[in-house]
Amino acid sequence: MNERPVIQLEKISKSYGTFKVLSDVDLSVAAGEVLAIIGSSGSGKSTLLRCINYLEPPDTGIVTVGDTRLDGEIPPTRQQLYALRKNIGMVFQSFNLFPHMSVLRNVSLAQERTLGRSRKEADAISLDFLNRVGLAEKAHEYPARCSGGQQQRIAIARALALGPNVMLFDEPTSALDPELGLEVLAVMRELAESGMTMIVVTHEMSFAGNVSDHVMFMADGKVVEYGNSKEVLGNPQTPRAKRFLRAVNER
Ligand code: ADP
Ligand code: MG
């Protein structure tokens, strides 16, 4: 149990101009663990995820993912950024599939570009992952012929096909109708059960409660509560978290 965490953030801070978006955020995720991040809009959840793979470099603090350790005060080299991002798959609210390419091409392209796989090799791997998210039969369709839930599952297959050690999800179901969200959550649950290390920003409290090991509640760029998911969701300690959870549960 004394294994090193797979993801560790130490005192991460980030400002946009004079506006402090993140203040001294600490976070640690062990191998195979699922962390849900909750909190109202504007609390810094997306910025925090983007700091983990340096889509937004933090101003100060240390990001460690696997063997890559970056200090926010020292600009990373290209090799360091590559090493960091190689470990991390990311899925956003918007799926960002190319409309003029088949589903298969969409999943294969990043593998060819970033890992140098041949088209044949990439396509075989893509089919495996499309199969895993239940969409092998859509491989030769265009994304427009797929529902939003299917498109998000394709985006998940695309990320997984790059072989990440950790997956970051930023509100993956919030653009979807509830039923289509469920099929995406089912894929994410399977991924969690297969042992993937995951951080999921979500408003889906049943996913947070049933699938995640820990829950972190953020407000104003700070970690307000963190703990066992059932405890944080069932017995929040701060007025801020109580108010947020009451509002979410009354929807
Ligand atoms: P959340 O994901 O919790 O809704 P965000 O991380 O997206 O929060 O945003 C946190 C705050 O930072 C918000 O007030 C947002 O307006 C601000 N913000 C986010 N990105 C930028 C940016 N690129 N420039 C300026 N302000 C930003
Ligand atoms: Mg956000």
Side-chain angles (χ1 to χ4, degrees), residues 138-173:
K138 290 282 185 187
H140 302 288
E141 298 274 13
Y142 285 101
R145 297 282 301 273
C146 303
S147 71
Q150 290 171 338
Q151 292 190 46
Q152 188 60 295
R153 285 149 61 198
I154 295 162
I156 293 172
R158 176 180 58 186
L160 290 175
L162 297 170
N165 298 328
V166 311
M167 287 284 287
L168 310 179
F169 292 86
D170 193 356
E171 300 196 33
T173 58

PDB file of all heavy atoms in Angstrom, residues 138-173:
ATOM      1  N   LYS A 138     -19.855   0.617 -36.258  1.00  0.00           N
ATOM      2  CA  LYS A 138     -19.903   2.000 -36.753  1.00  0.00           C
ATOM      3  C   LYS A 138     -18.589   2.430 -37.409  1.00  0.00           C
ATOM      4  O   LYS A 138     -18.461   3.575 -37.862  1.00  0.00           O
ATOM      5  CB  LYS A 138     -20.202   2.963 -35.584  1.00  0.00           C
ATOM      6  CG  LYS A 138     -21.615   2.849 -35.038  1.00  0.00           C
ATOM      7  CD  LYS A 138     -22.597   3.549 -35.945  1.00  0.00           C
ATOM      8  CE  LYS A 138     -23.995   3.554 -35.360  1.00  0.00           C
ATOM      9  NZ  LYS A 138     -24.965   4.096 -36.328  1.00  0.00           N
ATOM     10  N   ALA A 139     -17.620   1.531 -37.462  1.00  0.00           N
ATOM     11  CA  ALA A 139     -16.267   1.925 -37.887  1.00  0.00           C
ATOM     12  C   ALA A 139     -16.244   2.676 -39.211  1.00  0.00           C
ATOM     13  O   ALA A 139     -15.480   3.626 -39.379  1.00  0.00           O
ATOM     14  CB  ALA A 139     -15.370   0.681 -37.969  1.00  0.00           C
ATOM     15  N   HIS A 140     -17.100   2.287 -40.150  1.00  0.00           N
ATOM     16  CA  HIS A 140     -17.021   2.896 -41.478  1.00  0.00           C
ATOM     17  C   HIS A 140     -18.079   3.958 -41.736  1.00  0.00           C
ATOM     18  O   HIS A 140     -18.203   4.470 -42.835  1.00  0.00           O
ATOM     19  CB  HIS A 140     -17.019   1.789 -42.543  1.00  0.00           C
ATOM     20  CG  HIS A 140     -15.862   0.842 -42.338  1.00  0.00           C
ATOM     21  ND1 HIS A 140     -14.554   1.206 -42.606  1.00  0.00           N
ATOM     22  CD2 HIS A 140     -15.810  -0.400 -41.799  1.00  0.00           C
ATOM     23  CE1 HIS A 140     -13.749   0.203 -42.267  1.00  0.00           C
ATOM     24  NE2 HIS A 140     -14.484  -0.781 -41.776  1.00  0.00           N
ATOM     25  N   GLU A 141     -18.803   4.329 -40.675  1.00  0.00           N
ATOM     26  CA  GLU A 141     -19.755   5.443 -40.774  1.00  0.00           C
ATOM     27  C   GLU A 141     -19.033   6.768 -40.549  1.00  0.00           C
ATOM     28  O   GLU A 141     -17.920   6.806 -40.025  1.00  0.00           O
ATOM     29  CB  GLU A 141     -20.823   5.314 -39.676  1.00  0.00           C
ATOM     30  CG  GLU A 141     -21.672   4.075 -39.737  1.00  0.00           C
ATOM     31  CD  GLU A 141     -22.879   4.227 -40.656  1.00  0.00           C
ATOM     32  OE1 GLU A 141     -22.931   5.214 -41.433  1.00  0.00           O
ATOM     33  OE2 GLU A 141     -23.751   3.344 -40.609  1.00  0.00           O
ATOM     34  N   TYR A 142     -19.712   7.857 -40.888  1.00  0.00           N
ATOM     35  CA  TYR A 142     -19.227   9.172 -40.496  1.00  0.00           C
ATOM     36  C   TYR A 142     -19.820   9.520 -39.128  1.00  0.00           C
ATOM     37  O   TYR A 142     -20.908   9.039 -38.782  1.00  0.00           O
ATOM     38  CB  TYR A 142     -19.620  10.226 -41.534  1.00  0.00           C
ATOM     39  CG  TYR A 142     -18.783  10.134 -42.774  1.00  0.00           C
ATOM     40  CD1 TYR A 142     -19.264   9.515 -43.923  1.00  0.00           C
ATOM     41  CD2 TYR A 142     -17.485  10.653 -42.782  1.00  0.00           C
ATOM     42  CE1 TYR A 142     -18.478   9.407 -45.061  1.00  0.00           C
ATOM     43  CE2 TYR A 142     -16.691  10.543 -43.916  1.00  0.00           C
ATOM     44  CZ  TYR A 142     -17.181   9.919 -45.050  1.00  0.00           C
ATOM     45  OH  TYR A 142     -16.398   9.808 -46.157  1.00  0.00           O
ATOM     46  N   PRO A 143     -19.117  10.352 -38.361  1.00  0.00           N
ATOM     47  CA  PRO A 143     -19.609  10.705 -37.025  1.00  0.00           C
ATOM     48  C   PRO A 143     -21.037  11.243 -37.026  1.00  0.00           C
ATOM     49  O   PRO A 143     -21.798  10.962 -36.095  1.00  0.00           O
ATOM     50  CB  PRO A 143     -18.612  11.772 -36.551  1.00  0.00           C
ATOM     51  CG  PRO A 143     -17.348  11.439 -37.265  1.00  0.00           C
ATOM     52  CD  PRO A 143     -17.769  10.911 -38.612  1.00  0.00           C
ATOM     53  N   ALA A 144     -21.417  11.980 -38.081  1.00  0.00           N
ATOM     54  CA  ALA A 144     -22.768  12.556 -38.107  1.00  0.00           C
ATOM     55  C   ALA A 144     -23.852  11.486 -38.079  1.00  0.00           C
ATOM     56  O   ALA A 144     -24.990  11.770 -37.713  1.00  0.00           O
ATOM     57  CB  ALA A 144     -22.941  13.446 -39.345  1.00  0.00           C
ATOM     58  N   ARG A 145     -23.495  10.258 -38.459  1.00  0.00           N
ATOM     59  CA  ARG A 145     -24.474   9.167 -38.434  1.00  0.00           C
ATOM     60  C   ARG A 145     -24.534   8.493 -37.065  1.00  0.00           C
ATOM     61  O   ARG A 145     -25.199   7.485 -36.900  1.00  0.00           O
ATOM     62  CB  ARG A 145     -24.119   8.117 -39.499  1.00  0.00           C
ATOM     63  CG  ARG A 145     -24.166   8.647 -40.924  1.00  0.00           C
ATOM     64  CD  ARG A 145     -25.603   8.755 -41.429  1.00  0.00           C
ATOM     65  NE  ARG A 145     -26.291   7.459 -41.411  1.00  0.00           N
ATOM     66  CZ  ARG A 145     -26.261   6.574 -42.404  1.00  0.00           C
ATOM     67  NH1 ARG A 145     -25.600   6.850 -43.510  1.00  0.00           N
ATOM     68  NH2 ARG A 145     -26.907   5.429 -42.304  1.00  0.00           N
ATOM     69  N   CYS A 146     -23.808   9.032 -36.103  1.00  0.00           N
ATOM     70  CA  CYS A 146     -23.777   8.456 -34.757  1.00  0.00           C
ATOM     71  C   CYS A 146     -24.450   9.418 -33.780  1.00  0.00           C
ATOM     72  O   CYS A 146     -24.355  10.635 -33.939  1.00  0.00           O
ATOM     73  CB  CYS A 146     -22.336   8.221 -34.309  1.00  0.00           C
ATOM     74  SG  CYS A 146     -21.402   7.163 -35.434  1.00  0.00           S
ATOM     75  N   SER A 147     -25.093   8.863 -32.767  1.00  0.00           N
ATOM     76  CA  SER A 147     -25.707   9.706 -31.735  1.00  0.00           C
ATOM     77  C   SER A 147     -24.618  10.379 -30.898  1.00  0.00           C
ATOM     78  O   SER A 147     -23.442  10.001 -30.957  1.00  0.00           O
ATOM     79  CB  SER A 147     -26.579   8.846 -30.817  1.00  0.00           C
ATOM     80  OG  SER A 147     -25.740   8.024 -30.009  1.00  0.00           O
ATOM     81  N   GLY A 148     -25.021  11.359 -30.098  1.00  0.00           N
ATOM     82  CA  GLY A 148     -24.064  12.022 -29.218  1.00  0.00           C
ATOM     83  C   GLY A 148     -23.374  11.055 -28.266  1.00  0.00           C
ATOM     84  O   GLY A 148     -22.173  11.138 -28.023  1.00  0.00           O
ATOM     85  N   GLY A 149     -24.154  10.110 -27.755  1.00  0.00           N
ATOM     86  CA  GLY A 149     -23.567   9.124 -26.840  1.00  0.00           C
ATOM     87  C   GLY A 149     -22.556   8.242 -27.551  1.00  0.00           C
ATOM     88  O   GLY A 149     -21.488   7.919 -27.009  1.00  0.00           O
ATOM     89  N   GLN A 150     -22.891   7.870 -28.795  1.00  0.00           N
ATOM     90  CA  GLN A 150     -21.945   7.066 -29.578  1.00  0.00           C
ATOM     91  C   GLN A 150     -20.693   7.882 -29.897  1.00  0.00           C
ATOM     92  O   GLN A 150     -19.572   7.372 -29.803  1.00  0.00           O
ATOM     93  CB  GLN A 150     -22.626   6.580 -30.866  1.00  0.00           C
ATOM     94  CG  GLN A 150     -23.697   5.522 -30.587  1.00  0.00           C
ATOM     95  CD  GLN A 150     -24.521   5.183 -31.822  1.00  0.00           C
ATOM     96  OE1 GLN A 150     -24.604   5.964 -32.766  1.00  0.00           O
ATOM     97  NE2 GLN A 150     -25.133   4.010 -31.804  1.00  0.00           N
ATOM     98  N   GLN A 151     -20.875   9.155 -30.236  1.00  0.00           N
ATOM     99  CA  GLN A 151     -19.711   9.992 -30.554  1.00  0.00           C
ATOM    100  C   GLN A 151     -18.790  10.129 -29.331  1.00  0.00           C
ATOM    101  O   GLN A 151     -17.563  10.105 -29.463  1.00  0.00           O
ATOM    102  CB  GLN A 151     -20.163  11.362 -31.055  1.00  0.00           C
ATOM    103  CG  GLN A 151     -20.851  11.275 -32.402  1.00  0.00           C
ATOM    104  CD  GLN A 151     -21.090  12.630 -33.029  1.00  0.00           C
ATOM    105  OE1 GLN A 151     -20.217  13.481 -33.051  1.00  0.00           O
ATOM    106  NE2 GLN A 151     -22.289  12.837 -33.533  1.00  0.00           N
ATOM    107  N   GLN A 152     -19.393  10.250 -28.167  1.00  0.00           N
ATOM    108  CA  GLN A 152     -18.545  10.351 -26.977  1.00  0.00           C
ATOM    109  C   GLN A 152     -17.821   9.028 -26.723  1.00  0.00           C
ATOM    110  O   GLN A 152     -16.656   9.019 -26.308  1.00  0.00           O
ATOM    111  CB  GLN A 152     -19.383  10.782 -25.757  1.00  0.00           C
ATOM    112  CG  GLN A 152     -18.574  11.111 -24.513  1.00  0.00           C
ATOM    113  CD  GLN A 152     -17.595  12.252 -24.710  1.00  0.00           C
ATOM    114  OE1 GLN A 152     -16.641  12.137 -25.495  1.00  0.00           O
ATOM    115  NE2 GLN A 152     -17.804  13.357 -24.015  1.00  0.00           N
ATOM    116  N   ARG A 153     -18.474   7.895 -26.981  1.00  0.00           N
ATOM    117  CA  ARG A 153     -17.796   6.603 -26.810  1.00  0.00           C
ATOM    118  C   ARG A 153     -16.664   6.459 -27.827  1.00  0.00           C
ATOM    119  O   ARG A 153     -15.620   5.857 -27.533  1.00  0.00           O
ATOM    120  CB  ARG A 153     -18.807   5.454 -26.923  1.00  0.00           C
ATOM    121  CG  ARG A 153     -19.661   5.346 -25.650  1.00  0.00           C
ATOM    122  CD  ARG A 153     -21.053   4.831 -25.928  1.00  0.00           C
ATOM    123  NE  ARG A 153     -21.057   3.509 -26.508  1.00  0.00           N
ATOM    124  CZ  ARG A 153     -22.099   2.966 -27.165  1.00  0.00           C
ATOM    125  NH1 ARG A 153     -23.199   3.666 -27.331  1.00  0.00           N
ATOM    126  NH2 ARG A 153     -22.027   1.758 -27.653  1.00  0.00           N
ATOM    127  N   ILE A 154     -16.854   7.009 -29.036  1.00  0.00           N
ATOM    128  CA  ILE A 154     -15.774   7.009 -30.030  1.00  0.00           C
ATOM    129  C   ILE A 154     -14.595   7.844 -29.515  1.00  0.00           C
ATOM    130  O   ILE A 154     -13.433   7.445 -29.635  1.00  0.00           O
ATOM    131  CB  ILE A 154     -16.281   7.567 -31.384  1.00  0.00           C
ATOM    132  CG1 ILE A 154     -17.341   6.620 -31.969  1.00  0.00           C
ATOM    133  CG2 ILE A 154     -15.131   7.773 -32.366  1.00  0.00           C
ATOM    134  CD1 ILE A 154     -18.213   7.256 -33.054  1.00  0.00           C
ATOM    135  N   ALA A 155     -14.915   8.984 -28.916  1.00  0.00           N
ATOM    136  CA  ALA A 155     -13.844   9.832 -28.365  1.00  0.00           C
ATOM    137  C   ALA A 155     -13.095   9.088 -27.250  1.00  0.00           C
ATOM    138  O   ALA A 155     -11.870   9.225 -27.109  1.00  0.00           O
ATOM    139  CB  ALA A 155     -14.426  11.153 -27.846  1.00  0.00           C
ATOM    140  N   ILE A 156     -13.806   8.293 -26.478  1.00  0.00           N
ATOM    141  CA  ILE A 156     -13.153   7.498 -25.426  1.00  0.00           C
ATOM    142  C   ILE A 156     -12.255   6.434 -26.060  1.00  0.00           C
ATOM    143  O   ILE A 156     -11.104   6.250 -25.647  1.00  0.00           O
ATOM    144  CB  ILE A 156     -14.213   6.867 -24.487  1.00  0.00           C
ATOM    145  CG1 ILE A 156     -14.937   7.956 -23.686  1.00  0.00           C
ATOM    146  CG2 ILE A 156     -13.548   5.852 -23.543  1.00  0.00           C
ATOM    147  CD1 ILE A 156     -16.140   7.456 -22.870  1.00  0.00           C
ATOM    148  N   ALA A 157     -12.759   5.762 -27.113  1.00  0.00           N
ATOM    149  CA  ALA A 157     -11.942   4.748 -27.810  1.00  0.00           C
ATOM    150  C   ALA A 157     -10.677   5.397 -28.392  1.00  0.00           C
ATOM    151  O   ALA A 157      -9.583   4.831 -28.301  1.00  0.00           O
ATOM    152  CB  ALA A 157     -12.765   4.087 -28.919  1.00  0.00           C
ATOM    153  N   ARG A 158     -10.840   6.589 -28.960  1.00  0.00           N
ATOM    154  CA  ARG A 158      -9.699   7.307 -29.543  1.00  0.00           C
ATOM    155  C   ARG A 158      -8.629   7.575 -28.473  1.00  0.00           C
ATOM    156  O   ARG A 158      -7.427   7.397 -28.712  1.00  0.00           O
ATOM    157  CB  ARG A 158     -10.187   8.631 -30.147  1.00  0.00           C
ATOM    158  CG  ARG A 158      -9.106   9.518 -30.704  1.00  0.00           C
ATOM    159  CD  ARG A 158      -9.669  10.797 -31.290  1.00  0.00           C
ATOM    160  NE  ARG A 158     -10.438  11.566 -30.297  1.00  0.00           N
ATOM    161  CZ  ARG A 158     -11.132  12.660 -30.571  1.00  0.00           C
ATOM    162  NH1 ARG A 158     -11.181  13.140 -31.796  1.00  0.00           N
ATOM    163  NH2 ARG A 158     -11.802  13.281 -29.614  1.00  0.00           N
ATOM    164  N   ALA A 159      -9.067   7.999 -27.293  1.00  0.00           N
ATOM    165  CA  ALA A 159      -8.111   8.267 -26.210  1.00  0.00           C
ATOM    166  C   ALA A 159      -7.456   6.972 -25.728  1.00  0.00           C
ATOM    167  O   ALA A 159      -6.236   6.904 -25.534  1.00  0.00           O
ATOM    168  CB  ALA A 159      -8.811   8.989 -25.057  1.00  0.00           C
ATOM    169  N   LEU A 160      -8.258   5.910 -25.568  1.00  0.00           N
ATOM    170  CA  LEU A 160      -7.720   4.645 -25.045  1.00  0.00           C
ATOM    171  C   LEU A 160      -6.732   3.996 -26.008  1.00  0.00           C
ATOM    172  O   LEU A 160      -5.768   3.344 -25.587  1.00  0.00           O
ATOM    173  CB  LEU A 160      -8.857   3.662 -24.764  1.00  0.00           C
ATOM    174  CG  LEU A 160      -9.779   4.002 -23.593  1.00  0.00           C
ATOM    175  CD1 LEU A 160     -10.930   3.001 -23.529  1.00  0.00           C
ATOM    176  CD2 LEU A 160      -9.004   4.012 -22.275  1.00  0.00           C
ATOM    177  N   ALA A 161      -6.968   4.187 -27.314  1.00  0.00           N
ATOM    178  CA  ALA A 161      -6.117   3.551 -28.321  1.00  0.00           C
ATOM    179  C   ALA A 161      -4.681   4.077 -28.272  1.00  0.00           C
ATOM    180  O   ALA A 161      -3.773   3.463 -28.838  1.00  0.00           O
ATOM    181  CB  ALA A 161      -6.714   3.757 -29.710  1.00  0.00           C
ATOM    182  N   LEU A 162      -4.484   5.199 -27.595  1.00  0.00           N
ATOM    183  CA  LEU A 162      -3.132   5.746 -27.449  1.00  0.00           C
ATOM    184  C   LEU A 162      -2.403   5.136 -26.250  1.00  0.00           C
ATOM    185  O   LEU A 162      -1.260   5.491 -25.964  1.00  0.00           O
ATOM    186  CB  LEU A 162      -3.189   7.273 -27.324  1.00  0.00           C
ATOM    187  CG  LEU A 162      -3.749   7.980 -28.574  1.00  0.00           C
ATOM    188  CD1 LEU A 162      -4.001   9.457 -28.293  1.00  0.00           C
ATOM    189  CD2 LEU A 162      -2.784   7.829 -29.748  1.00  0.00           C
ATOM    190  N   GLY A 163      -3.084   4.261 -25.523  1.00  0.00           N
ATOM    191  CA  GLY A 163      -2.435   3.520 -24.443  1.00  0.00           C
ATOM    192  C   GLY A 163      -2.063   4.339 -23.220  1.00  0.00           C
ATOM    193  O   GLY A 163      -0.991   4.151 -22.637  1.00  0.00           O
ATOM    194  N   PRO A 164      -2.951   5.228 -22.768  1.00  0.00           N
ATOM    195  CA  PRO A 164      -2.626   6.042 -21.588  1.00  0.00           C
ATOM    196  C   PRO A 164      -2.657   5.224 -20.297  1.00  0.00           C
ATOM    197  O   PRO A 164      -3.319   4.186 -20.240  1.00  0.00           O
ATOM    198  CB  PRO A 164      -3.751   7.085 -21.569  1.00  0.00           C
ATOM    199  CG  PRO A 164      -4.919   6.363 -22.176  1.00  0.00           C
ATOM    200  CD  PRO A 164      -4.329   5.475 -23.250  1.00  0.00           C
ATOM    201  N   ASN A 165      -1.940   5.688 -19.295  1.00  0.00           N
ATOM    202  CA  ASN A 165      -2.019   5.067 -17.963  1.00  0.00           C
ATOM    203  C   ASN A 165      -3.129   5.674 -17.131  1.00  0.00           C
ATOM    204  O   ASN A 165      -3.571   5.074 -16.155  1.00  0.00           O
ATOM    205  CB  ASN A 165      -0.717   5.265 -17.185  1.00  0.00           C
ATOM    206  CG  ASN A 165       0.442   4.625 -17.873  1.00  0.00           C
ATOM    207  OD1 ASN A 165       0.274   3.608 -18.539  1.00  0.00           O
ATOM    208  ND2 ASN A 165       1.612   5.226 -17.742  1.00  0.00           N
ATOM    209  N   VAL A 166      -3.500   6.900 -17.475  1.00  0.00           N
ATOM    210  CA  VAL A 166      -4.559   7.568 -16.720  1.00  0.00           C
ATOM    211  C   VAL A 166      -5.506   8.242 -17.707  1.00  0.00           C
ATOM    212  O   VAL A 166      -5.109   8.623 -18.804  1.00  0.00           O
ATOM    213  CB  VAL A 166      -4.006   8.626 -15.715  1.00  0.00           C
ATOM    214  CG1 VAL A 166      -2.890   8.058 -14.875  1.00  0.00           C
ATOM    215  CG2 VAL A 166      -3.528   9.872 -16.423  1.00  0.00           C
ATOM    216  N   MET A 167      -6.766   8.336 -17.292  1.00  0.00           N
ATOM    217  CA  MET A 167      -7.769   8.993 -18.135  1.00  0.00           C
ATOM    218  C   MET A 167      -8.404  10.139 -17.350  1.00  0.00           C
ATOM    219  O   MET A 167      -8.816   9.962 -16.200  1.00  0.00           O
ATOM    220  CB  MET A 167      -8.854   7.992 -18.544  1.00  0.00           C
ATOM    221  CG  MET A 167      -8.413   6.982 -19.591  1.00  0.00           C
ATOM    222  SD  MET A 167      -8.325   7.687 -21.277  1.00  0.00           S
ATOM    223  CE  MET A 167     -10.070   7.863 -21.672  1.00  0.00           C
ATOM    224  N   LEU A 168      -8.490  11.295 -18.005  1.00  0.00           N
ATOM    225  CA  LEU A 168      -9.133  12.460 -17.407  1.00  0.00           C
ATOM    226  C   LEU A 168     -10.414  12.739 -18.193  1.00  0.00           C
ATOM    227  O   LEU A 168     -10.385  12.792 -19.431  1.00  0.00           O
ATOM    228  CB  LEU A 168      -8.216  13.685 -17.503  1.00  0.00           C
ATOM    229  CG  LEU A 168      -6.775  13.516 -17.026  1.00  0.00           C
ATOM    230  CD1 LEU A 168      -5.995  14.828 -17.213  1.00  0.00           C
ATOM    231  CD2 LEU A 168      -6.727  13.080 -15.564  1.00  0.00           C
ATOM    232  N   PHE A 169     -11.516  12.887 -17.499  1.00  0.00           N
ATOM    233  CA  PHE A 169     -12.801  13.154 -18.146  1.00  0.00           C
ATOM    234  C   PHE A 169     -13.337  14.488 -17.633  1.00  0.00           C
ATOM    235  O   PHE A 169     -13.475  14.677 -16.429  1.00  0.00           O
ATOM    236  CB  PHE A 169     -13.820  12.071 -17.787  1.00  0.00           C
ATOM    237  CG  PHE A 169     -13.520  10.708 -18.346  1.00  0.00           C
ATOM    238  CD1 PHE A 169     -12.689   9.832 -17.656  1.00  0.00           C
ATOM    239  CD2 PHE A 169     -14.071  10.295 -19.546  1.00  0.00           C
ATOM    240  CE1 PHE A 169     -12.427   8.557 -18.156  1.00  0.00           C
ATOM    241  CE2 PHE A 169     -13.811   9.030 -20.057  1.00  0.00           C
ATOM    242  CZ  PHE A 169     -12.991   8.158 -19.372  1.00  0.00           C
ATOM    243  N   ASP A 170     -13.651  15.404 -18.549  1.00  0.00           N
ATOM    244  CA  ASP A 170     -14.210  16.692 -18.134  1.00  0.00           C
ATOM    245  C   ASP A 170     -15.683  16.768 -18.537  1.00  0.00           C
ATOM    246  O   ASP A 170     -16.000  17.050 -19.687  1.00  0.00           O
ATOM    247  CB  ASP A 170     -13.424  17.845 -18.764  1.00  0.00           C
ATOM    248  CG  ASP A 170     -13.767  19.179 -18.100  1.00  0.00           C
ATOM    249  OD1 ASP A 170     -14.653  19.205 -17.221  1.00  0.00           O
ATOM    250  OD2 ASP A 170     -13.143  20.197 -18.473  1.00  0.00           O
ATOM    251  N   GLU A 171     -16.549  16.489 -17.610  1.00  0.00           N
ATOM    252  CA  GLU A 171     -18.002  16.506 -17.827  1.00  0.00           C
ATOM    253  C   GLU A 171     -18.387  15.803 -19.127  1.00  0.00           C
ATOM    254  O   GLU A 171     -19.035  16.387 -20.001  1.00  0.00           O
ATOM    255  CB  GLU A 171     -18.530  17.944 -17.811  1.00  0.00           C
ATOM    256  CG  GLU A 171     -18.251  18.631 -16.478  1.00  0.00           C
ATOM    257  CD  GLU A 171     -19.092  19.894 -16.282  1.00  0.00           C
ATOM    258  OE1 GLU A 171     -20.240  19.920 -16.765  1.00  0.00           O
ATOM    259  OE2 GLU A 171     -18.598  20.818 -15.635  1.00  0.00           O
ATOM    260  N   PRO A 172     -18.030  14.520 -19.245  1.00  0.00           N
ATOM    261  CA  PRO A 172     -18.220  13.814 -20.519  1.00  0.00           C
ATOM    262  C   PRO A 172     -19.675  13.611 -20.914  1.00  0.00           C
ATOM    263  O   PRO A 172     -19.948  13.339 -22.071  1.00  0.00           O
ATOM    264  CB  PRO A 172     -17.544  12.460 -20.276  1.00  0.00           C
ATOM    265  CG  PRO A 172     -17.604  12.283 -18.798  1.00  0.00           C
ATOM    266  CD  PRO A 172     -17.417  13.650 -18.225  1.00  0.00           C
ATOM    267  N   THR A 173     -20.601  13.749 -19.960  1.00  0.00           N
ATOM    268  CA  THR A 173     -22.005  13.482 -20.308  1.00  0.00           C
ATOM    269  C   THR A 173     -22.857  14.733 -20.268  1.00  0.00           C
ATOM    270  O   THR A 173     -24.055  14.673 -20.545  1.00  0.00           O
ATOM    271  CB  THR A 173     -22.621  12.461 -19.326  1.00  0.00           C
ATOM    272  OG1 THR A 173     -22.517  12.990 -17.995  1.00  0.00           O
ATOM    273  CG2 THR A 173     -21.901  11.135 -19.398  1.00  0.00           C
TER     274      THR A 173
END
